Amino acid sequence: MSVARRRPDNERRPPVTSTRKTALVAGIFYLITFVSIPTLGLYSSVKGKDFIISSGADTGALWGCFLEVIVALAGIGTAVTLFPVVRRQNEGMALGFVASRTLEAAMIFTGVASLLSLVTLHQDLGTATGANAASLITIGASHVATYNWAFTLGQSLMPGINALLLGTLLYRSGLVPRVLPVIGLIGAPLHITAVVLTMFGVIDRIGSVALIAALPIAVWEFSLGVYLVVKGFKPCPITDAMLEDTTPPAHRDVLA
């Protein structure tokens, strides 16, 4: 009578899968993109009409710019991290998601550069008076306007485009519960419409209508980040294929 050989523990227990690590990193990047929320208060002084010729502190603006740089890089991180997974569903759409996230980051950097230029002028020319003060106020307003429109095109418009692309990929693949991408797919057209209305002056850029239209996108991105961190990807044909590609032969019988 033969006795079956017991496999060592390291053969019977497959390692943490690469898909779980990918989901965790992507989820963390998504949550990091919310660190710029305090900029709503940090930029209150720098956007003032007379900031460029005032003696007010600019530390808050510098911290706000720093947080937005982190957001821009984290946004690219979400796309780069998810690309190897979602490209198995549709490579063209996945590449479009990377491109839209990169464009969003570029617009964020444009806005940050504009405010940093304003801060530099404030530090160097903050004591100007008379005619020089009037011209500087105009220059300062120009920098603020550049930031506002970069924000509208970057952090307002592009998240709607991102939601359409990634939401479609995740809905079709089943990588996450479909209720999550549905939130993004419903919110994206509303948000994009609000941005277009803002561009034509129909609604206020920071009015209640624009804020309500942006809420579903915020819920979609935050809930996706939390789900990826806590749960990871749902089992589906994509995760099965990736697991098959990365699992050593010794563990395949165990997984089966």
Side-chain angles (χ1 to χ4, degrees):
M1 178 178 179
S2 61
V3 179
R5 183 177 67 88
R6 182 180 180 181
R7 294 184 179 181
D9 287 344
N10 62 349
E11 289 187 12
R12 290 185 294 109
R13 297 176 184 171
V16 176
T17 64
S18 61
T19 55
R20 183 66 187 98
K21 294 178 182 177
T22 298
L24 178 62
V25 173
I28 291 173
F29 275 135
Y30 259 109
L31 296 180
I32 289 176
T33 60
F34 285 84
V35 302
S36 66
I37 291 177
T39 58
L40 297 174
L42 293 173
Y43 287 157
S44 59
S45 62
V46 74
K47 290 186 177 181
K49 178 180 178 182
D50 299 332
F51 171 77
I52 194 171
I53 60 171
S54 71
S55 58
D58 47 36
T59 303
L62 294 175
W63 274 109
C65 290
F66 175 71
L67 292 177
E68 289 207 272
V69 168
I70 293 177
V71 170
L73 297 177
I76 295 176
T78 61
V80 172
T81 304
L82 289 174
F83 177 75
V85 180
V86 296
R87 72 177 179 84
R88 293 173 178 257
Q89 178 63 38
N90 186 308
E91 187 166 3
M93 193 171 291
L95 186 60
F97 176 58
V98 175
S100 65
R101 270 302 204 183
T102 303
L103 181 57
E104 178 185 354
M107 297 306 299
I108 293 174
F109 275 108
T110 299
V112 168
S114 181
L115 287 190
L116 289 177
S117 298
L118 177 57
V119 169
T120 299
L121 291 173
H122 168 256
Q123 294 173 342
D124 294 343
L125 306 172
T127 58
T129 58
N132 288 335
S135 63
L136 286 174
I137 290 175
T138 301
I139 293 173
S142 175
H143 281 284
V144 173
T146 299
Y147 172 83
N148 288 339
W149 280 111
F151 184 95
T152 299
L153 296 176
Q155 298 187 70
S156 292
L157 177 62
M158 296 314 299
I161 304 298
N162 297 335
L164 288 176
L165 293 170
L166 183 61
T168 300
L169 289 167
L170 294 181
Y171 183 87
R172 292 178 176 176
S173 64
L175 286 163
V176 298
R178 286 184 170 174
V179 65
L180 297 182
V182 164
I183 295 174
L185 292 172
I186 292 176
L190 298 175
H191 186 54
I192 293 173
T193 300
V195 173
V196 173
L197 293 177
T198 298
M199 293 175 64
F200 284 93
V202 178
I203 63 175
D204 187 17
R205 186 179 64 86
I206 55 175
S208 57
V209 175
L211 294 177
I212 292 174
L215 184 60
I217 297 297
V219 172
W220 141 252
E221 292 193 348
F222 184 77
S223 59
L224 177 62
V226 171
Y227 184 87
L228 291 177
V229 168
V230 176
K231 295 288 188 179
F233 296 123
K234 286 182 59 181
C236 64
I238 289 179
T239 57
D240 292 343
M242 294 184 69
L243 188 61
E244 182 71 18
D245 292 343
T246 58
T247 302
H251 295 300
R252 289 178 183 171
D253 291 338
V254 178
L255 294 174

